[in-house]
Amino acid sequence: MARSIAVARRRRVVISGMGVVSAAGLGVTKLWNAARDGVSQIRPLKLERPYGGRVKIAAQVPEFDPAAHIESEFLPFCDPFTQYAMVAADEAMATAGFARKDIAGSRTAVVIGTGIGGFTTIDNEAYNEYVVRARGNPLTVPRSIPSAAPTMLAMRYSAKGPTFALASACSSSSQAIGEGLEIIRSGRADRAIVGGAEACIINGSMRAWELLRVLTPDLCRPFSKGRNGMTLGEGAAIFILETLEAALERGHEPICELIGYGTTNDAFDPLRADVEGPTGAMLQALDDAALAPRDIDYLNAHGTATYTNDMIESEAIGRVFGDHAPPISSTKPIHGHALGASGGLELVVTISALREQIAPPTINFLEPDTKCQVDPIPTVARVLRIRSAMSNSFAFGGVNAVLIVRSL
């Protein structure tokens, strides 16, 4: 009873705007159309320097010209991960109905997740220093630090509230969104710019991920028999959070309500997942949202298509939902595994599914795996009544983050 009263009294938080840079291009619509229609954005790998690795595919942002979107006074300080965040944030602000300085001041927080930060800058500087012996970039440090993205966004919109980067590998952006939710609920801010960004498809990181033996050389097949790994992606997804009261007062119709957040740590292994952590995160999110498992109509899974992780996530879903497990899908075969940006990209897809009442498919599916007892919406999108939806993010190091949204 006490929990129900506390949930009823706290500030309601809505998502008023969202923006995307992804392998599908610029904009929420392009990502959603690709996910809904099952059109993969994974293409032959393109790098500035020769690459001798075995894996030759990735979900890269196509034909991105940062100078077309970012002013010259900002651009020298922006690694590609920050560039992606800024372009996605501009779309999010526009869809929220805000001009650039409308949310200026100390009541706006900025929390951005990234798994690696400015890895492109680091990789380029290492190449310049040790291979071609060229002069280095004096702005390497401010470009490469993970806090570059949130601080540059804070400058762009004159946001002076709590501002920080959050780095928890593949759960980074989901945690950033959840922590932004908590900041507003607590009264420390009235609005928050949240999400995640990653730009890691470069020589150094491709080689490193290949050495882990988790990348597929051909097709990403989450929850399918015959799956053999994931494909790297990149991009950014940014959201504008505010109180429901504030949105209604200014006459803005929110996209949806953000009602649940759960986060846990497996404390088990640097690479291998443990079922207890994901189970706990989903249960926390349900409790936070004051929902029962049967209230979730669709679940966007972490779904990496690595053999063990899909099994663990399936088992965790079974523990949480039992006979009430909702249809699920993994959209990583569409936009790739964008590491610290993945949770944000997947929340955009989840929210779009909620708005259109269509659950996107898990493409490249061959046949069910008896060790993955879930309904993965194989191959073709499904018309579905969706009132509340869940999005899962589970990371190396055992960091788990789960978000729940619902229609208003």
Side-chain angles (χ1 to χ4, degrees), residues 289-330:
L291 296 180
R294 64 179 175 273
D295 296 323
I296 299 297
D297 301 306
Y298 166 69
L299 192 157
N300 189 287
H302 186 58
T304 60
T306 51
Y307 182 73
T308 303
N309 278 12
D310 284 6
M311 288 168 48
I312 293 294
E313 185 170 12
S314 298
E315 183 180 350
I317 290 169
R319 288 191 182 190
V320 171
F321 292 94
D323 294 335
H324 299 288
I328 75 169
S329 57
S330 170

Side-chain angles (χ1 to χ4, degrees), residues 68-88:
H69 307 280
I70 301 170
E71 297 84 350
S72 58
E73 63 265 32
F74 287 114
L75 198 52
F77 296 91
C78 297
D79 178 271
F81 94 105
T82 302
Q83 296 168 15
Y84 296 161
M86 294 180 80
V87 173

Side-chain angles (χ1 to χ4, degrees), residues 45-51 55 57-58 60 79-81 84 116-126 198-210 215 232-234 339:
L45 182 66
K46 293 183 179 180
L47 298 175
E48 291 184 7
R49 298 186 289 274
Y51 182 67
V55 175
I57 54 173
Q60 294 174 278
D79 178 271
F81 94 105
Y84 296 161
I116 303 175
F119 203 174
T120 303
T121 295
I122 294 170
D123 196 57
N124 287 342
E125 288 308 299
E198 205 79 85
C200 61
I201 301 177
I202 49 178
N203 292 61
S205 62
M206 283 295 297
R207 176 68 74 182
W209 281 97
E210 272 206 48
L215 297 185
L232 283 184
E234 62 181 357
L339 307 182

Side-chain angles (χ1 to χ4, degrees), residues 248-262:
L248 295 178
E249 281 181 355
R250 65 186 181 90
H252 180 74
E253 183 179 350
I255 297 170
C256 65
E257 186 174 4
L258 181 58
I259 60 170
Y261 169 51

